[in-house]
Amino acid sequence: MSVTPNENDVLLGRGHFVNNYPGNLRFRRIANEQKPHYIAAAKRKEKRSVALGVIMEVQSSDPPGRFLIDSSGSKISVLSDGVWEVASQDKALEKVLHRMREKDGEDCLINTEKGAQEKESVAPSSVDDGLPG
């Protein structure tokens, strides 16, 4: 059954539109807030419990957030491009667990900048320019 996404829905898919959809931005914020609990969880069952908590928080929004999948197979650039259907609980859980395992984009940027700074601070030991003396 086709549904119309609301602002709290999480759209499953790829691309700029999906990444910047309000529900996806909120989902990433919620997931990032819970990520320390996920990382600290020693057992798979505990990690799953943290992920289920993220799903419950999305679903407890007003209006309730859902995890939606585009069944049209088209490239999504605007909301009306997709034919949206509610994803299964397993699919939603898979999305949350994937997000929890991902490195955050900001962490990657900071690590990249840090690496560049470290490279700049290392002075070459001795450069052989081919000239005598």
Side-chain angles (χ1 to χ4, degrees), residues 9 45 77 97 99 112 120:
D9 287 333
K45 185 176 181 180
S77 57
L97 289 170
R99 177 64 191 173
T112 303
E120 289 173 7

PDB file of all heavy atoms in Angstrom, residues 9 45 77 97 99 112 120:
ATOM      1  N   ASP A   9       9.178  10.802   8.872  1.00  0.00           N
ATOM      2  CA  ASP A   9       9.489   9.518   8.253  1.00  0.00           C
ATOM      3  C   ASP A   9      10.956   9.452   7.854  1.00  0.00           C
ATOM      4  O   ASP A   9      11.573  10.467   7.512  1.00  0.00           O
ATOM      5  CB  ASP A   9       8.620   9.290   7.016  1.00  0.00           C
ATOM      6  CG  ASP A   9       7.176   8.983   7.366  1.00  0.00           C
ATOM      7  OD1 ASP A   9       6.924   8.458   8.469  1.00  0.00           O
ATOM      8  OD2 ASP A   9       6.299   9.266   6.529  1.00  0.00           O
ATOM      9  N   LYS A  45      22.816  -8.888  21.411  1.00  0.00           N
ATOM     10  CA  LYS A  45      21.455  -8.657  21.898  1.00  0.00           C
ATOM     11  C   LYS A  45      21.315  -7.236  22.452  1.00  0.00           C
ATOM     12  O   LYS A  45      20.296  -6.571  22.248  1.00  0.00           O
ATOM     13  CB  LYS A  45      21.119  -9.693  22.970  1.00  0.00           C
ATOM     14  CG  LYS A  45      19.704  -9.647  23.459  1.00  0.00           C
ATOM     15  CD  LYS A  45      19.443 -10.779  24.445  1.00  0.00           C
ATOM     16  CE  LYS A  45      18.007 -10.761  24.940  1.00  0.00           C
ATOM     17  NZ  LYS A  45      17.741 -11.847  25.877  1.00  0.00           N
ATOM     18  N   SER A  77      14.561  12.380  -6.630  1.00  0.00           N
ATOM     19  CA  SER A  77      15.116  13.719  -6.492  1.00  0.00           C
ATOM     20  C   SER A  77      14.102  14.655  -5.842  1.00  0.00           C
ATOM     21  O   SER A  77      14.453  15.703  -5.353  1.00  0.00           O
ATOM     22  CB  SER A  77      15.575  14.270  -7.838  1.00  0.00           C
ATOM     23  OG  SER A  77      14.500  14.271  -8.748  1.00  0.00           O
ATOM     24  N   LEU A  97      20.940  -0.452  12.428  1.00  0.00           N
ATOM     25  CA  LEU A  97      22.204  -1.134  12.746  1.00  0.00           C
ATOM     26  C   LEU A  97      23.315  -0.688  11.797  1.00  0.00           C
ATOM     27  O   LEU A  97      24.462  -0.505  12.221  1.00  0.00           O
ATOM     28  CB  LEU A  97      22.020  -2.649  12.694  1.00  0.00           C
ATOM     29  CG  LEU A  97      21.180  -3.238  13.833  1.00  0.00           C
ATOM     30  CD1 LEU A  97      20.861  -4.705  13.556  1.00  0.00           C
ATOM     31  CD2 LEU A  97      21.885  -3.090  15.171  1.00  0.00           C
ATOM     32  N   ARG A  99      23.544   2.250  10.358  1.00  0.00           N
ATOM     33  CA  ARG A  99      23.916   3.600  10.789  1.00  0.00           C
ATOM     34  C   ARG A  99      24.810   3.549  12.028  1.00  0.00           C
ATOM     35  O   ARG A  99      25.764   4.320  12.154  1.00  0.00           O
ATOM     36  CB  ARG A  99      22.662   4.432  11.074  1.00  0.00           C
ATOM     37  CG  ARG A  99      22.939   5.819  11.589  1.00  0.00           C
ATOM     38  CD  ARG A  99      23.666   6.660  10.579  1.00  0.00           C
ATOM     39  NE  ARG A  99      24.145   7.891  11.204  1.00  0.00           N
ATOM     40  CZ  ARG A  99      24.928   8.746  10.609  1.00  0.00           C
ATOM     41  NH1 ARG A  99      25.315   8.551   9.384  1.00  0.00           N
ATOM     42  NH2 ARG A  99      25.327   9.817  11.237  1.00  0.00           N
ATOM     43  N   THR A 112      40.679  13.163   8.479  1.00  0.00           N
ATOM     44  CA  THR A 112      41.365  13.524   7.248  1.00  0.00           C
ATOM     45  C   THR A 112      42.174  14.802   7.450  1.00  0.00           C
ATOM     46  O   THR A 112      43.324  14.893   7.053  1.00  0.00           O
ATOM     47  CB  THR A 112      40.349  13.726   6.100  1.00  0.00           C
ATOM     48  OG1 THR A 112      39.608  12.524   5.960  1.00  0.00           O
ATOM     49  CG2 THR A 112      41.033  14.054   4.801  1.00  0.00           C
ATOM     50  N   GLU A 120      52.000  17.723   7.081  1.00  0.00           N
ATOM     51  CA  GLU A 120      52.639  19.014   6.902  1.00  0.00           C
ATOM     52  C   GLU A 120      53.693  19.265   7.976  1.00  0.00           C
ATOM     53  O   GLU A 120      54.689  19.926   7.735  1.00  0.00           O
ATOM     54  CB  GLU A 120      51.593  20.131   6.953  1.00  0.00           C
ATOM     55  CG  GLU A 120      50.691  20.157   5.733  1.00  0.00           C
ATOM     56  CD  GLU A 120      49.559  21.170   5.879  1.00  0.00           C
ATOM     57  OE1 GLU A 120      49.557  21.935   6.860  1.00  0.00           O
ATOM     58  OE2 GLU A 120      48.685  21.177   5.011  1.00  0.00           O
TER      59      GLU A 120
END
